[in-house]
Amino acid sequence: MKDRIQEVRQNALSALEEARDEKAVADLAVRFLGRKGEVSALLREVSSLPVEVRPEAGQLANILKKELSSAFEAAEKRLAEAAAETAGTLDVTLPGRRLAQGRFHPLTQVCDEICRAFVRMGFSVVEGPEVEADYYNFEALNFPPEHPARDMQDTFFVSEKVVLRTHTSPLQVRTMEKTRPPVRVIAPGKVYRCDSDITHTPMFQQVEGLVVDEGIRFSDLKGVLAAFVHQIFAPDTPLRFRPSFFPFTEPSAEVDIGCVMCDGSGCRVCGHTGWLEILGSGMVHPAVFENVGYDPEKYTGFAFGLGVERIAMLKYGIDDIRRFYENDARFLGQF
Ligand code: FA5
C-alpha cells in the first residue's frame, strides 16, 4: 500500500509540473482529488486493509491528500499570477492596426475646385443665409408675387414670407445692395427644393456668379464660362449656349457641355442628344438693377448658377445623385 501511495504522489506531482495553464491544473485536481479521483480510491482501499496496517496506511493517504491539495492550490495561484502579468504586456511582434483616415466629401472637393477656378479669374467669395426672405429669393429677382415663374422652383416655405432658399441667386441682390460696381463675386452654398429622383435631391449645392460693371457684354459671360468649363473638364470640351428663361436675366441661356460619357455620340445619360446641361445664366435684368439702386443705363452685368452635384456626377461618371448623400464610406472613400 505504501508503494501505491508513493506512486500516486509521484504521478500527481510530475503531471502538475507539466501543467501550463489553470485549466490543466483544474483537470488534474479532478483526476487526483475529485470524488472519483485516485486519492479517494486509495482512501477507500484503506478501509479494506487488515486492521493492523490500516492506521498507518490511513495516515499516509491523508498526508498525501493534504500535500496534493496544497500543491494544486500553489500551482493555480502561480499560473493565475503569470496570466495576469502577460495580459498587461505589449506584444511588439503583433501587426499594427490601420487607422481609418478621414477625407473631404467628394462634393466639398468639387465645390472647392469650382471656387478655385473662379478665384483664379479674379472672383471673390461671398455667402448668405439658407433661410431666406421671400423678397431676396423671389421678389427682388423679378418674380412678382403669385407669378407662374415661381413654379419653376418647388419651394419649402418656413412661413408666408420666409423660405428655404431655392437657389443662390439671392446673393446677387444681397451683394449689390452692399457694394457699388465693379462687382465680381461667386456665392457657393446649399439650396433646397421639393424634388427627389436620380438627378434631383431636396438639398443640393449651387455656385452663383455675378459680374457687374460698365460695358459688360454677353461675350464676357461666354468667355468666363468657357474658361471655367475647360479648367474643370478636358480643355477641348465643347460647350453651347441654349436660349432659356429666368425672370432675373435677359437674355437668358442654359449652358450644355458635350456629353463626357459618350463624347457627344449620344447615350442614356445625355438622353441621346450628345449634350448635358450644367448651368443657367444670362445678362442681369434691368429690373433687378433698379431693385438694388444701380442705374441700368450705366451698368450691365452677367450672372450664372451651376449645380455642384451635376458637375461632380459628370466629372466622376456617377449615374445617381443620391449616392452622394447615402453616407456609404465605401463610395465616399473612392474620391
Ligand atoms: C437656377 O437655380 C438659377 N438661379 C440659375 C441662374 C443663376 C440663372 C443666375 C441665371 C443667372 P436652375 O433651376 O436651372 O436655375 O438650377 C441651376 C442648376 O442647379 C441646374 O442646372 C442643376 O444642375 C441644379 N439643380 C436644380 N435642381 C436640382 C436638384 N433638385 N438637385 C440637384 N441639382 C439641381
Side-chain angles (χ1 to χ4, degrees), residues 167 169 193 195 200-201 204 206 208 246 277 280 304-305 310:
H167 51 173
S169 299
R193 290 185 201 176
D195 239 354
H200 296 85
T201 45
F204 61 102
Q206 286 190 337
E208 189 81 8
F246 298 100
E277 177 207 316
F304 56 86
R310 173 63 62 91

Side-chain angles (χ1 to χ4, degrees), residues 152-226:
M152 290 164 73
Q153 304 180 355
D154 273 335
T155 309
F156 290 113
F157 285 88
V158 176
S159 66
E160 207 188 321
K161 286 283 167 204
V162 180
V163 299
L164 295 186
R165 68 179 178 190
T166 54
H167 51 173
T168 41
S169 299
L171 265 301
Q172 292 185 32
V173 181
R174 287 183 172 274
T175 306
M176 288 190 282
E177 274 183 351
K178 276 190 262 176
T179 40
R180 305 302 304 166
V183 172
R184 192 159 38 178
V185 294
I186 50 165
K190 298 189 182 80
V191 301
Y192 303 83
R193 290 185 201 176
C194 189
D195 239 354
S196 184
D197 59 39
I198 63 164
T199 52
H200 296 85
T201 45
M203 189 278 290
F204 61 102
Q205 300 178 49
Q206 286 190 337
V207 175
E208 189 81 8
L210 175 70
V211 172
V212 183
D213 204 350
E214 289 179 44
I216 298 292
R217 293 167 304 180
F218 196 87
S219 53
D220 296 313
L221 166 64
K222 288 181 81 173
V224 165
L225 291 180

